[in-house]
Amino acid sequence: MKSAFNDIIYEKRGIYGVLHVIILLLSLFLIVVISVDTFKNIPFMTQGSYLKIQFWICMFFIADFVLEFFLSKRKLYYLQTHFIFLIVSIPYLNIISYYGIEFSPEITYFLRFIPLARSGYALAIVVGWLSSNKASGLFVSYLTMLLATVYFSSLIFFVIEHKVNPQVTGYDDALWWAFMDVTTVGSNIYAVTPTGRILSVLLAALGMMMFPIFTVYVTSLVQNANKRKNELYNEDNTPQPEAAKQTASKPAEGGKITS
């Protein structure tokens, strides 16, 4: 893993590898801060330090987009395929705080997660570089993003439901709800807010889309293992050229050699 990581940073990907790794680290830092604020019930909009941190992280994301745009050989194609990452990098919280725009607490809390969408793209790229097998890299990327979505959904569900839903007494209830919903099994905890109900539908739909990928991946692993097993079996049972030559030149037992 270390050699592959160094290969990304210093040899194969150069500045792109450095930027994507930094984006992942900054996104992880944002996730930690959001989690701490959520569990301690800290009103982040009144925290000037948090707004400054998110602002500069968003500025780095925008700078990364601009740099990759100028380094791209097909600038129009890059703009068409990556424009969404510029949109999610905009520091919306700082904008609404500066202009005094008021939204509901649910929408304001949800806006904190928008910059993290940029990390999903970086994660897929870095995992693809670290994986020697494309199928494995794709599966790990999907699995990581699925777990991240479940975690973010559980945080949002906890914030909007724990004050009005008697079934949500702690974060563990929200986490249980999220995992049961994404597996499409369903949970004994029901959402009572509109946002919670929307999340319930989205998680179930996400689970129906993602779990077939897991099935296909496992099937692919089994097929590849069987293929390698058959190849090894065929190699073991294939006569060597020298042995076959000696067998062909040896006269049959009891036979005579005639001139």
Side-chain angles (χ1 to χ4, degrees):
M1 178 67 71
K2 184 177 179 181
S3 60
F5 185 81
N6 291 335
D7 186 51
I8 289 175
I9 297 298
Y10 299 111
E11 296 179 11
K12 285 187 178 180
R13 304 300 175 180
I15 186 64
Y16 292 104
V18 174
L19 290 175
H20 288 303
V21 170
I22 293 176
I23 288 173
L24 285 179
L25 295 177
L26 292 177
S27 300
L28 181 61
F29 176 74
L30 273 183
I31 293 173
V32 172
V33 173
I34 292 173
S35 301
V36 171
D37 289 351
T38 301
F39 297 143
K40 293 187 176 182
N41 197 22
I42 299 175
F44 62 92
M45 287 300 292
T46 60
Q47 288 183 306
S49 58
Y50 173 80
L51 292 176
K52 289 180 181 178
I53 291 173
Q54 178 158 313
F55 173 78
W56 287 113
I57 289 178
C58 289
M59 288 298 100
F60 180 84
F61 290 172
I62 294 175
D64 167 70
F65 175 87
V66 174
L67 178 61
E68 290 191 6
F69 172 75
F70 282 107
L71 293 178
S72 175
K73 296 180 180 179
R74 302 171 59 188
K75 291 181 172 53
L76 181 59
Y77 176 78
Y78 180 87
L79 190 62
Q80 292 174 345
T81 56
H82 294 73
F83 184 72
I84 184 63
F85 299 119
L86 175 62
I87 299 299
V88 299
S89 299
I90 297 175
Y92 295 103
L93 283 179
N94 299 88
I95 294 175
I96 65 176
S97 175
Y98 180 80
Y99 288 102
I101 304 173
E102 294 185 0
F103 289 103
S104 65
E106 293 84 0
I107 295 178
T108 305
Y109 185 79
F110 175 76
L111 290 175
R112 303 181 73 181
F113 293 93
I114 292 181
L116 296 177
R118 178 64 182 87
S119 64
Y121 174 67
L123 173 67
I125 292 178
V126 173
V127 170
W129 292 342
L130 291 174
S131 303
S132 57
N133 188 300
K134 290 184 178 180
S136 299
L138 184 63
F139 173 73
V140 173
S141 299
Y142 276 130
L143 181 61
T144 305
M145 286 187 283
L146 175 64
L147 294 176
T149 304
V150 170
Y151 179 66
F152 298 155
S153 299
S154 67
L155 288 177
I156 297 173
F157 187 81
F158 172 70
V159 169
I160 64 178
E161 291 278 339
H162 81 281
K163 293 181 180 179
V164 296
N165 192 339
Q167 293 180 308
V168 183
T169 58
Y171 174 71
D172 56 333
D173 295 325
L175 190 62
W176 167 261
W177 163 86
F179 272 106
M180 289 298 99
D181 262 30
V182 80
T183 56
T184 68
V185 175
S187 173
N188 58 344
I189 299 175
Y190 302 98
V192 298
T193 62
T195 305
R197 292 170 182 171
I198 293 174
L199 285 176
S200 300
V201 175
L202 292 179
L203 275 181
L206 180 65
M208 287 188 292
M209 290 187 295
M210 297 297 291
F211 279 99
I213 296 176
F214 174 77
T215 304
V216 171
Y217 176 70
V218 173
T219 303
S220 175
L221 289 180
V222 173
Q223 290 178 345
N224 291 335
N226 290 335
K227 183 178 179 180
R228 288 193 296 268
K229 183 178 179 180
N230 291 333
E231 290 176 352
L232 292 175
Y233 178 79
N234 292 332
E235 290 178 0
D236 293 339
N237 288 274
T238 301
Q240 298 296 327
E242 294 182 359
K245 185 176 180 181
Q246 292 177 0
T247 303
S249 61
K250 184 178 180 180
E253 185 177 352
K256 296 181 180 180
I257 300 177
T258 58
S259 57

